[in-house]
Amino acid sequence: MKLSIDRDLCIGCGLCATIDDEIFAMDDTSVATVIAQPEGKNEITALDAVQSCPVGAILVEE
Ligand code: SF4
């Protein structure tokens, strides 16, 4: 699984980084970035963040 952020969609709410701060962080323009790709058990929390994003800005490639 590979994650990326649609920077045009992200509204900078910070929820993804709150849910999983090993995978997501906010950059200095308050847009989410992926700081590490999830592997194994980390995928469960990362997918929780994906599903929680209010604007669907976290993109998932299988
Ligand atoms: S949850 Fe979605 S909208 Fe909020 S910071 Fe993360 S990617 Fe952006």
Side-chain angles (χ1 to χ4, degrees), residues 16-25 34-38 41-42:
C16 55
T18 299
I19 292 172
D20 193 340
D21 64 359
E22 294 181 2
I23 304 295
F24 304 99
V34 176
I35 56 174
Q37 293 295 334
K41 66 180 174 61
N42 288 345

Side-chain angles (χ1 to χ4, degrees), residues 18-49:
T18 299
I19 292 172
D20 193 340
D21 64 359
E22 294 181 2
I23 304 295
F24 304 99
M26 305 307 291
D27 71 10
D28 55 11
T29 60
S30 295
V31 173
T33 59
V34 176
I35 56 174
Q37 293 295 334
E39 294 175 35
K41 66 180 174 61
N42 288 345
E43 289 189 0
I44 295 169
T45 310
L47 281 173
D48 186 21

Side-chain angles (χ1 to χ4, degrees), residues 4-7 9-19 24-26 30-33 49-50 52-59:
S4 61
I5 304 292
D6 185 327
R7 296 182 58 86
L9 284 180
C10 176
I11 58 172
C13 71
L15 185 58
C16 55
T18 299
I19 292 172
F24 304 99
M26 305 307 291
S30 295
V31 173
T33 59
V50 170
S52 299
C53 177
V55 292
I58 307 173
L59 310 178

